[in-house]
Amino acid sequence: MAKPNKKGPTKTIDIFCKRCNAPLFKYRKGGKGALVKCFKERIVEDATTTPCHCPQCEQPFARDTLVRGTPAYKFIGGKVWFK
């Protein structure tokens, strides 16, 4: 399969924890679909201290994985929201 475009889209979204509304990432998302995964190379700002855990409530919100050979975070359903 093809790798994701490194430059990626120019539109950024803010990703927040669903439980405590703490900001997690500022991310360059492409398309209009649901937020399922987050490629690490497209993260503009990272507010987390430990990977895949919320900095305020320490709840895990994602799993570290490889998608199409590229490092990514795969979000756990219902743990994050974005605008």
Side-chain angles (χ1 to χ4, degrees):
M1 290 190 111
K3 292 205 177 224
N5 186 358
K6 282 198 192 279
K7 186 178 177 200
T10 55
K11 186 183 113 181
T12 61
I13 60 167
D14 296 316
I15 302 173
F16 300 94
C17 175
K18 189 84 163 202
R19 177 188 265 178
C20 64
N21 289 328
L24 301 173
F25 301 127
K26 191 173 277 265
Y27 178 69
R28 291 193 322 259
K29 182 181 184 320
K32 296 181 281 187
L35 188 64
V36 176
K37 63 187 170 292
C38 177
F39 291 108
K40 291 181 183 179
E41 61 193 21
R42 289 188 184 180
I43 294 174
V44 180
E45 292 177 19
D46 188 357
T48 60
T49 52
T50 55
C52 302
H53 285 77
C54 176
Q56 280 186 349
C57 65
E58 296 296 321
Q59 174 186 10
F61 63 86
R63 293 184 179 87
D64 206 356
T65 186
L66 284 176
V67 176
R68 291 184 243 143
T70 306
Y73 293 124
K74 193 112 182 219
F75 292 114
I76 301 168
K79 300 284 185 170
V80 296
W81 66 277
F82 71 96
K83 65 175 179 179

